Amino acid sequence: MLPLTRRNLLKSAAVGGAYASGIALAPGITRALASATADPLLLEAYGLTATIDGKAPSDGVMSYRTVASPADVAPPVLRARRGEPFSVRFENLLQEPTTVHWHGLRIANAMDGVPFLTQPYVYPGDGFDYAFTPPDAGTFWYHPHCNTLTQIGRGLAGMLVVEDPNDPVFDGEIALNLRDWRLGGNSQFIEQFKARDAAKAGTFGTVRTANWQVEPSYDAPAGGLIRLRLLASDVTRIFNLKLTGGDAVVVAIDGQPVPSVIPLDTVVISPGQRLDLVLRMPDDEGATVAIEDIRPSTPKTVARLRAVGTSLKRSLGDVPPLTANPQAEPDLSAAIEVPLVLSATAEQAAKDSICGSLGYSFWAINKVPYPGDSADPMAPLAEMKLGRTYVFNLENVTPHAHPIHLHGMNFKVLSSSTRKVQPLVSDTYLVLPDEKVQLAVVADNPGDWVLHCHIIEHQKTGMTSFVRVV
Ligand code: C2O
Ligand code: CU
């Protein structure tokens, strides 16, 4: 391999074809798909029995598979290319309706996967054709938007990598899908939520995994630069990640390259969020880097990387910036404000729905708890004019943090009442207790777009609504 100079790093991954050769990557990666062919990729949702806790098989697990990933039980890492058409023929082999939502992708509304708002349910035995051209490169993910606490809770959450032809070439790439499972001592699923926890920070899992394994270990070249793509796909957990034994820089958050270097210890990733790091492996063969969640209540090593081979002697100083994604600049001089107050509610709005209801309403946006998926949805939070800039004034009047996710469009973080913020472009913002935050949104994608808390119990007990762009 060539010495990793800035120039070589900048060589296109598209030309090189592969990210790294000769090293073992995460299972999802080795069978990753070179996409963007004219043929749609067949993606199936199915039920299975799988060993998650390392002890005994769990029944009632749900996953996705493609023909290229028959041996993996965890959903495959799908790969698409920025600016190139990508199409998926989705088939539902589950016993219940579902849909697929492409989290973080700014694509046509009809492809967004939200029952009633953008598409009908995909019933058992039925399918749906998803086709879009990703405008942004980066780390994204796919998951259902139907009966989500059960379906994501039981496994339906996979990573979607959108490559940029100008992506720097690293010595390896590892994707880690971080999530928990609610399993009992007999390895079987237990009640996915407790109402009293849903009304607080959410119900936590009992088994913590990366790529569906408890504390897996991956080999990576000693002294090499590794692109680590992390996804917090858990329905509840917020992570404060730390690396022990290796150094890293944050190069992207929520798929979007960061404008300047952000130290890892200042970043928190909450349900739905992604973090791209460039990690410099230790020089000594056999040395390990531990990826740890140091959140005080629940510290845990989530995965390890082991250095193999003779040191490649790279330097973190050689990491070139990623190419920014195209993003319309907000016009703040003519921006229209949209107040969005996140609160608890005593009002009962929960309606039964084919896509599952938890039967409770605990949360609201602008005092209105979302009743659930319905053919007759409530009015949008705002009607936005195509092309105009809006400022979402989010105010969290609850004692809990809420990762608020907007479909179909990105926002730029303008300011916060409680912390210094970077002007990050993103699709998910973790609003802390008592925080007021201003997010600028250019309404550049027509349609009805859901906005909700990505702590799924909060989403399913009222903290959901939508905006309309016309
Ligand atoms: Cu991860 Cu409504 O989305
Ligand atoms: Cu929430």
Side-chain angles (χ1 to χ4, degrees), residues 101 103 141 143 145 272 405 407 450 452 454 459:
H101 167 58
H103 181 126
W141 65 300
H143 65 75
H145 230 277
H405 169 51
H407 285 211
V450 190
H452 62 84
H454 224 291
Q459 175 194 5

Side-chain angles (χ1 to χ4, degrees), residues 363 401-404 453-455 458-459 463:
W363 306 100
H402 301 286
I404 298 297
C453 180
H454 224 291
I455 291 176
H458 294 180
Q459 175 194 5
M463 202 175 278

Side-chain angles (χ1 to χ4, degrees), residues 136-153:
D136 298 326
T139 305
F140 301 96
W141 65 300
Y142 60 102
H143 65 75
H145 230 277
C146 181
N147 200 15
T148 41
L149 188 62
T150 298
Q151 294 186 8
I152 300 178

